[in-house]
Amino acid sequence: MEQYDQQGIDALVNTGRPIPGQSLTANPEERRPFEQAPEFVKFKDALDYTAAELLLEENYMPMMEAIGDGVTIVDIATQMGYVGFREGKWNPDLMMMLIEPFMYLLMALAEKAGIEYRIDDEDDIDEDDTAFEQKTKNIANSIKEDVQKTGDIPQGALPTEVLEKIEALEMSSSLLAKEPQEMSEPQPQSLLQRGTE
C-alpha cells in the first residue's frame, strides 16, 4: 500500500481551488443564479435593462467617478458583463455579445458628462491571456480604431432609444464635481500623542 505525504494532501486541500466534482455535491434545489435559466435571452432586452440601470443616479455617479479616476472602459464593461452573468441575468454567450455595446454605452455616458476616458491599458495581446481577455482586447482595439476614424461613437453602435435616454439625461455643472472635504482638526497619529495634548 502506497503512503501519501500528509503535508502534500493538506496543501492541495487548502489551496482554495474547487475540488473536481464539487458542483455535483451541491443541493439541486438550491441552485445558484447562473445555474438556472437566464433572465434575459434577447440581446436588445439585456442592453435596454443595462442602460436603464446605468442611468439611475445611484449607479451612474459611481460609474462616472470611476471613469474619471482612470478606470478603463474595458474593465468596467467586462465587470458589468460578468456580474450580470453571475446574477443570472444572461448566459456567457450573451455576455460576450454585450461587451462591445457596454463599452459604447459607457463612452457615451462619459462624453455626455464631459469626462475624459481611457478605452484600455494599451497592452498588446499576450500568449498568456485567456480567450476572454484576448476577445475583450480585440473588441477594445476595434473600438479605438472606429473612434479614431470618426472622432465619435459610430452611428448604429447603440440603439436610438438608448441614445435618446442619454441625451435626455440632465447634467448640472456640479453633478460630477467632488464635494470639498470639510477641514477638521488633524487627529493625532499615535495613541501616545493623545495624552500629551
Side-chain angles (χ1 to χ4, degrees), residues 137-181:
K137 285 182 181 180
N138 285 335
I139 292 170
N141 290 335
S142 168
I143 288 174
K144 281 196 292 191
E145 289 173 9
D146 290 345
V147 170
Q148 286 173 352
K149 286 178 191 173
T150 62
D152 200 6
I153 295 173
Q155 188 73 18
L158 289 172
T160 53
E161 305 89 43
V162 172
L163 290 174
E164 289 170 0
K165 288 178 186 176
I166 292 172
E167 287 301 318
L169 188 63
E170 300 256 339
M171 292 287 164
S172 67
S173 60
S174 64
L175 183 63
L176 294 173
K178 292 187 179 179
E179 307 230 348
Q181 299 291 327

